[in-house]
Amino acid sequence: MSGVVVDAFATGLLSTTVTALPDGGHRWLRRPGAGAPEAFAPLTAGLRELVEQISPGPGARLLTGDPAPDGARTYAAPGPYSVAHWLIAGGGPHAVPGGRSALTGTLREVGALLAALHGRPVPEEARRPARAAVRLHAWLSGRTTAGGATAADLLGGAAVAPLLAWVTQALAPADGHVLSHGAPGLGSLLPAAGAAPAVLLTGEDLCTAPPHFDLGWLAGELLEFRWLLGAAADPQVWQQLLDALFDGYGGDAAAAREGHLHGTALRVALHAHDTAAYLPASTGHARLYGLLATTLTKEAAA
């Protein structure tokens, strides 16, 4: 089905094109960027069926894509823009369709989705480390640089050792590891549109990892936006969004909040790496993320 391209953006890591279709839907085409060190994770028919069956209740859904040429994936999505887009373009949670109350509800639903995903037995075809953890480990261990910057350059020497220990733990198989989304970012979360629920694009990074890896990914991005856009909203609003995510996840809320600190620091450190490595014109932003990652690492290690 043909359509009109309404958005397109790319980094060296990921390229995305969004097309509005005549039937009112949208097609998201995502493919690894020219500098991506790995292809998307394989998505077998069995793994796709398992993921699409996860439904903890009404609301947000995990949406797997269809294979496309050159290692790409396509998704039949409810809208043209992600939560990250709305936050950046509008300057805060108020800009997301439905406002902050809708975003709070969506994050609660996503927390429940991740809990349901983490509760499933890990199939053999998903027993692989997170692509993001592999990328971060290579940088923290000194095997790669990010646009010429070492981990110590962007994070400071004191932060590298604890981060390396945490990402090594995430990579090594362990009894406590779960079936994980692998990269549940706000750029992959599309708000509800009309009767269509919110969706989290899923499948490119399915892996096994500690539960805090997924939770920390989203928490880290919310903290980044709070740091960068905090003037646009009361600090309590950002805290409410974090609380909704963890409330939706359920279980021992205190343990979840404590455990996610490592994952949050890892996510922001990875963002510092990826910005420097795949957005060469954004060195200033990479250093900002590095500073935040350093602060979070100190807090998590305390």
Side-chain angles (χ1 to χ4, degrees):
M1 186 183 297
S2 61
V4 177
V5 173
V6 293
D7 203 6
F9 45 94
T11 70
L13 185 63
L14 178 69
S15 172
T16 303
T17 303
V18 183
T19 302
L21 303 176
D23 64 2
H26 293 82
R27 180 176 63 240
W28 283 58
L29 173 67
R30 288 160 56 101
R31 62 167 48 91
E38 292 186 77
F40 291 154
L43 185 62
T44 65
L47 190 54
R48 176 175 180 171
E49 182 179 5
L50 183 153
V51 169
E52 291 186 339
Q53 286 176 347
I54 294 173
S55 177
R61 292 290 181 270
L62 300 175
L63 180 64
T64 60
D66 296 314
D70 302 321
R73 301 267 169 88
T74 60
Y75 302 85
Y81 302 119
S82 68
V83 168
H85 169 92
W86 289 109
L87 289 172
I88 294 169
H94 63 278
V96 177
R100 72 178 192 183
S101 62
L103 180 56
T104 300
T106 295
L107 287 170
R108 185 173 290 109
E109 293 166 1
V110 169
L113 273 179
L114 291 176
L117 178 67
H118 293 173
R120 293 297 178 98
V122 181
E124 283 301 318
E125 57 263 46
R127 293 188 180 277
R128 52 180 170 253
R131 293 194 307 148
V134 172
R135 194 162 72 246
L136 184 58
H137 186 275
W139 185 50
L140 292 170
S141 62
R143 300 199 311 275
T144 63
T145 64
T150 68
D153 289 336
L154 290 183
L155 306 173
V160 173
L163 286 167
L164 180 57
W166 300 336
V167 78
T168 300
Q169 182 185 45
L171 286 174
D175 292 341
H177 287 194
V178 297
L179 177 61
S180 297
H181 181 287
L186 297 174
S188 300
L189 178 59
L190 280 61
V199 298
L200 180 62
L201 307 184
T202 306
E204 298 165 14
D205 294 274
L206 281 165
C207 62
T208 55
H212 66 248
F213 194 83
D214 279 347
L215 287 170
W217 194 289
L218 279 167
E221 292 196 351
L222 287 169
L223 286 173
E224 286 179 359
F225 278 114
R226 177 178 177 175
W227 205 45
L228 296 171
L229 305 174
D234 188 298
Q236 291 185 353
V237 172
W238 296 103
Q239 187 60 50
Q240 288 167 2
L241 297 177
L242 277 170
D243 289 344
L245 172 66
F246 288 110
D247 289 346
Y249 192 81
D252 186 334
R257 283 169 171 79
E258 181 179 353
H260 90 276
L261 292 175
H262 290 182
T264 299
L266 290 173
R267 169 57 187 143
V268 180
L270 178 70
H271 204 175
H273 167 274
D274 288 352
T275 302
Y278 305 116
L279 284 168
S282 299
T283 302
H285 277 91
R287 295 196 176 279
L288 283 175
Y289 294 133
L291 178 60
L292 179 56
T294 301
T295 301
L296 292 170
T297 301
K298 290 179 180 177
E299 293 177 359

